[in-house]
Amino acid sequence: MAAPSSTTAPISFFVPPPDGSRAYQTVNANLQTGHRDRNFTLETHQVEIENRRGDESTTLDKAGFQLCKYPAKHTTFPNDAEIEKEYYPESAEIIKKITGASRVVLFDHTVRRRRPGVIDSATDKRQPLNQAHVDQAPKSAVERVHRHLPAEDVPELLKHRFQIINLWRPISHPAYDWPLALCDFRSVDPATDILPVAHIYPDREGETYGVKYNPNHKWTYFHGVTPEEFILLKCYDSVEDGSVALFTPHTAFNDPATPKDAPLRESIELRALVFYD
Ligand code: OGA
Ligand code: FE
């Protein structure tokens, strides 16, 4: 298959509540309808999405994301227990190797297996997500450190650089179907393009970023990411002096150029707290 230089597809963007109130969305969806309670709307734009496969200058620090090649020993992802026991440790080591981090703590994962007609809920049968977003706003990033690290380690860890990075890997076959689009941080204006969205869980609240449409955004993807490859995408960085990308807006999209016989997308994304000395 000849690699395309770009594709054009619809992406859903965040439209803030018109009354200026704080945006929110419930995490758990209605199991029958998939409906999530929220006080904001979405609007769809056709966006050109550039294929960055082969572009070595697209890196975590510059763009906010990068494509890596590193096969995993664990390849089946049958259930949470096996994923946590087998896939978490090898992935933490891979992230350390690539980033130079001294400590990596995986705190969450989502398996998505696209099945047309299946209702997405927060707990089961997750589907690709077409909604430009960032998984954690800074408030949530710091809260995650307190939740997932021993209390005695936290003060020292927070004195040094830390990040939240997702590791997104296809399962079983290349992800031609519903690939992941990523927005180059260098094209984002953090002052105008993103807004915090409260993420309401039954027992607590997190905060994500909704992403507004901006024609200056440079949306990109990697054509046909294989299970031996993965994308690292940054959700948060404590280095906020402008020298590195802070986060990566991202979303899945329905690529009209997907070959008709391409298998449905299956993927796993890990969420990692990444600490440096
Ligand atoms: C992610 C994410 C969406 C998808 O990995 O953080 O938002 O459809 N993924 O894979
Ligand atoms: Fe995400």
Side-chain angles (χ1 to χ4, degrees), residues 112 127-130 133 135 166 168 178 180 233 235 250-252 265 267 269 271:
R112 302 179 196 265
Q127 299 296 301
L129 173 67
N130 184 343
H133 70 280
D135 294 21
N166 290 5
W168 186 95
W178 279 84
L180 198 65
L233 63 119
C235 294
H250 58 277
T251 177
R265 192 247 278 190
S267 64
E269 73 230 35
R271 300 187 169 78

Side-chain angles (χ1 to χ4, degrees), residues 28-164:
N28 287 352
N30 181 299
L31 293 178
Q32 269 77 46
T33 63
H35 175 76
R36 291 181 167 79
D37 217 15
R38 61 180 178 221
N39 67 343
F40 62 90
T41 52
L42 299 170
E43 66 182 15
T44 300
H45 289 264
Q46 289 290 330
V47 177
E48 184 174 8
I49 305 166
E50 182 198 356
N51 178 18
R52 288 267 179 97
R53 184 178 271 287
D55 177 0
E56 307 266 315
S57 69
T58 298
T59 64
L60 263 182
D61 272 345
K62 288 185 194 154
F65 57 92
Q66 72 189 50
L67 180 67
C68 306
K69 181 154 182 149
Y70 214 114
K73 292 195 195 79
H74 181 84
T75 55
T76 52
F77 310 99
N79 57 53
D80 290 347
E82 278 192 46
I83 290 169
E84 284 166 33
K85 183 162 157 274
E86 294 188 11
Y87 187 56
Y88 274 29
E90 61 169 322
S91 298
E93 287 311 309
I94 293 173
I95 293 172
K96 271 194 207 167
K97 236 178 238 161
I98 291 174
T99 60
S102 52
R103 186 165 176 180
V104 171
V105 175
L106 298 170
F107 62 88
D108 188 28
H109 68 269
T110 305
V111 172
R112 302 179 196 265
R113 293 188 163 98
R114 191 165 88 80
R115 300 289 179 262
V118 162
I119 299 297
D120 190 313
S121 75
T123 45
D124 197 12
K125 301 187 181 138
R126 298 298 303 275
Q127 299 296 301
L129 173 67
N130 184 343
Q131 187 176 325
H133 70 280
V134 180
D135 294 21
Q136 280 91 19
K139 181 170 160 262
S140 273
V142 174
E143 278 168 14
R144 287 284 183 185
V145 178
H146 288 280
R147 273 184 68 202
H148 302 296
L149 275 294
E152 62 270 24
D153 295 356
V154 169
E156 186 60 30
L157 289 171
L158 290 179
K159 282 187 203 149
H160 304 271
R161 184 182 195 186
F162 85 95
Q163 303 162 317
I164 293 184

